[in-house]
Amino acid sequence: MRTLITNGTIVTADGSFAADVLVDGETIAAIGAGLAGMVQSDETIDATGRYVIPGGIDVHTHMELPFGGTFAKDTFETGTRAAAFGGTTSIVDFAVQSKGQALRTGLDAWHAKAEGNAVLDYGFHMIMSDVNDDSLAEMDQLVTEGVPDFKLFTAYPGVFYSDDAAIFRAMQQTTKNGGLILMHAENGPAIDVVAAQLVAEGKTDPYYHGIARFPVFEGEATNRVIRLAEAAGAPVYIVHLSVIDALTAVREARDRGTQAFAETCPQYLFLSLDDLGGGFNGAKFICSPPLRDKDPNWEQLWTGLRKNDLQVVSTDHCPFDFHGQKEMGRGDFRKIPNGLPGVEDRVDLLHDGGVVAGRISRERWVEIVSTEPAKLFGMYPKKGAIAVGSDADLVVYDPDRVRTISATTHHMDVDYSCYEGRAIQGGSDIVMSRGSVVVRNGVFTGRKGHGRFIRRAPADYARLA
Ligand code: URP
Ligand code: ZN
Ligand code: ZN
């Protein structure tokens, strides 16, 4: 099957230009002006007035995550399907090692969840909850199997929490095997003290989830894990960075030459502590780190994205229904499952709030939602690029379309939207995964099981720093 995309404006991280794109089978076969008169194709897609961009890559999702006494609702099928509607063509999800388990057990379980179900290509990071001699040795094997990143937590004592010794040992291991440590950086033990004090005072509403998790707890933990990485001589990637205290730690580390990388998420750019108010409705907005004060954090995070102190915007997609799941925490915010839906909205929110609002260029938009995630997570130029030989993961994007986000029309398997009623400009007309059209003008044309495991290699972190 050969498909020709004509008359569009190709937008990449490096620049924009008018050209046609020829897709042959699963990959891009040619790029150039006037291809229409020169090549044969089975289908021609007219992209007049549209951007042609590499498909979005969301490197932080939690499909079917067992968490907070329940499970994140989207499966690999429903979650990747929703992602496709929003212009994302690859995800990297977090497989989980439970305490007392081998990494292998957790990774096998995630392969089983995804294989035959995912609509889009997917990779895995590995959550490590139990750092010991065996799991450290297993890390080396996982790197060779295309799972080169490992997430550890300074948060969630008793669940995913690792102490400094465990974190440091895992970092040392990556200096030998070439992998990357991803850190959830919040001071979990200190947060638990404050949370218990608030509950004892009768402050049990969702709002107090945001109060308990002081910005300095994220700043302290971010600085600490970066310092540990420096001591180990390892690169480090901070996930879901939410607040200026943590951003400052990353910026200072990068300024002194550390291979420190970080992502933020749409919820920290567009939602705030105010959303956690309003009684129990605030449960819809409970995630960790929590939503922060709008000022000065939103604009500081945008500045971080412009200046490359932040390299990636991912979603941390971890959806729980309001009814029946978030409701488990009525009367005690500590029992509300942590996590927000978002995999479907990321590319459009960043286009609207970033490009249309004049905060970032369209090239930087493509870079932070696709190209840089591909580079940092060992998928480039197979993914994240419009280049001959790259996978034909392409989006024909209408920069002018206006739509309103709503749970009544979204495709994520969750009963609310954090952005309900928000009008946004920009949307995907055609979404192509390895040469197959999976969404065409709002209609799903993909196939359960089309998605393949992306075997990733460690990146050259020194070069990307
Ligand atoms: O609240 C969140 N972020 N839930 C998902 C798990 C995690 O920490 O990433
Ligand atoms: Zn986390
Ligand atoms: Zn997460």
Side-chain angles (χ1 to χ4, degrees):
M1 172 83 182
R2 281 157 70 94
T3 306
L4 186 64
I5 305 173
T6 57
N7 302 321
T9 300
I10 296 180
V11 181
T12 72
D14 299 324
S16 302
F17 51 97
D20 303 334
V21 182
L22 178 67
V23 173
D24 192 353
E26 297 194 344
T27 57
I28 296 172
I31 302 163
L35 285 182
M38 293 153 53
V39 299
Q40 299 280 337
S41 63
D42 303 296
E43 186 191 355
T44 300
I45 294 171
D46 183 7
T48 302
R50 307 291 190 263
Y51 299 157
V52 182
I53 62 172
I57 301 175
D58 190 344
V59 292
H60 191 149
T61 68
H62 299 284
M63 306 303 173
E64 304 174 49
L65 176 73
F67 198 42
T70 183
F71 282 81
K73 252 193 104 198
D74 266 316
T75 62
F76 275 85
E77 181 185 359
T78 63
T80 54
R81 189 170 173 275
F85 275 99
T88 286
T89 53
S90 302
I91 64 164
V92 186
D93 202 83
F94 286 84
V96 177
Q97 175 211 22
S98 304
K99 283 225 179 304
Q101 256 189 3
L103 300 187
R104 161 74 43 216
T105 309
L107 182 59
D108 285 352
W110 252 257
H111 273 295
K113 288 176 204 249
E115 200 179 334
N117 292 313
V119 160
L120 303 173
D121 291 352
Y122 56 91
F124 298 125
H125 314 285
M126 190 80 224
I127 286 179
M128 291 184 75
S129 321
D130 207 351
V131 175
N132 54 48
D133 290 345
D134 291 338
S135 61
L136 286 166
E138 275 193 286
M139 288 170 79
D140 301 355
Q141 174 61 25
L142 261 58
V143 172
T144 68
E145 291 181 22
V147 181
D149 345 284
F150 306 87
K151 182 181 179 190
L152 283 86
F153 297 71
T154 58
Y156 309 137
V159 187
F160 294 137
Y161 175 81
S162 288
D163 65 16
D164 290 352
I167 293 165
F168 187 61
R169 289 187 80 196
M171 287 172 167
Q172 284 184 319
Q173 199 71 20
T174 61
T175 65
K176 295 179 222 156
N177 63 32
L180 179 66
I181 298 296
L182 279 48
M183 288 302 315
H184 178 138
E186 290 184 287
N187 189 321
I191 288 166
D192 281 4
V193 170
V194 180
Q197 289 165 350
L198 289 168
V199 171
E201 290 167 24
K203 294 172 176 167
T204 60
D205 272 357
Y207 180 72
Y208 293 100
H209 172 85
I211 298 301
R213 304 180 93 90
F214 298 172
V216 70
F217 291 156
E218 189 179 337
E220 179 276 325
T222 302
N223 180 59
R224 176 162 36 105
V225 299
I226 289 172
R227 289 298 189 175
L228 289 173
E230 288 170 346
V236 64
Y237 179 94
I238 309 297
V239 295
H240 48 44
L241 186 151
S242 74
V243 75
I244 188 170
D245 305 56
L247 179 61
T248 303
V250 171
R251 181 186 301 127
E252 289 177 356
R254 291 177 63 79
D255 286 350
R256 61 179 180 266
T258 302
Q259 291 170 37
F261 307 94
E263 64 178 21
T264 189
C265 309
Q267 52 268 33
Y268 304 120
L269 296 165
F270 299 111
L271 303 173
S272 77
L273 192 55
D274 293 344
D275 292 296
L276 279 168
F280 194 72
N281 193 58
K284 292 176 179 170
F285 299 91
I286 285 215
C287 58
S288 294
L291 303 182
R292 303 297 190 180
D293 284 326
K294 174 179 173 184
D295 293 321
N297 295 301
W298 287 6
E299 284 313 320
Q300 287 295 322
L301 293 177
W302 282 109
T303 301
L305 286 167
R306 273 193 301 275
K307 294 193 164 176
N308 203 37
D309 292 319
L310 301 169
Q311 295 77 38
V312 171
V313 176
S314 67
T315 59
D316 194 9
H317 177 75
C318 189
F320 300 101
D321 273 345
F322 179 70
H323 297 290
Q325 290 190 297
K326 293 283 187 182
E327 280 178 333
M328 290 161 63
R330 274 196 194 278
D332 187 344
F333 66 81
R334 295 173 300 179
K335 297 186 178 145
I336 299 169
N338 285 205
L340 307 184
V343 76
E344 187 168 352
D345 299 319
R346 178 186 65 124
V347 172
D348 293 344
L349 282 168
L350 268 286
H351 179 265
D352 181 69
V355 182
V356 177
R359 290 183 172 119
I360 52 172
S361 67
R362 59 189 181 182
E363 292 79 15
R364 182 63 177 157
W365 167 61
V366 168
E367 191 163 33
I368 61 183
V369 302
S370 176
T371 305
E372 196 64 23
K375 287 182 176 172
L376 271 168
F377 291 98
M379 292 175 263
Y380 187 85
K382 185 177 164 67
K383 309 282 190 193
I386 299 186
V388 173
S390 294
D391 280 359
D393 291 358
L394 296 167
V395 177
V396 177
Y397 196 83
D398 180 352
D400 298 317
R401 188 197 321 161
V402 175
R403 70 178 180 96
T404 302
I405 298 180
S406 174
T408 59
T409 48
H410 74 198
H411 303 86
M412 298 176 284
D413 184 18
V414 62
D415 66 0
Y416 74 96
S417 169
C418 292
Y419 306 98
E420 187 68 39
R422 187 185 181 103
I424 50 167
Q425 185 180 326
S428 301
D429 286 356
I430 306 274
V431 181
M432 191 181 271
S433 164
R434 275 185 288 105
S436 298
V437 174
V438 293
V439 173
R440 190 187 294 270
N441 300 321
V443 176
F444 182 66
T445 55
R447 180 176 59 80
K448 172 181 172 170
H450 164 84
R452 278 193 209 138
F453 173 61
I454 308 167
R455 186 180 279 267
R456 298 177 297 113
D460 183 350
Y461 307 108
R463 201 175 53 78
L464 292 169

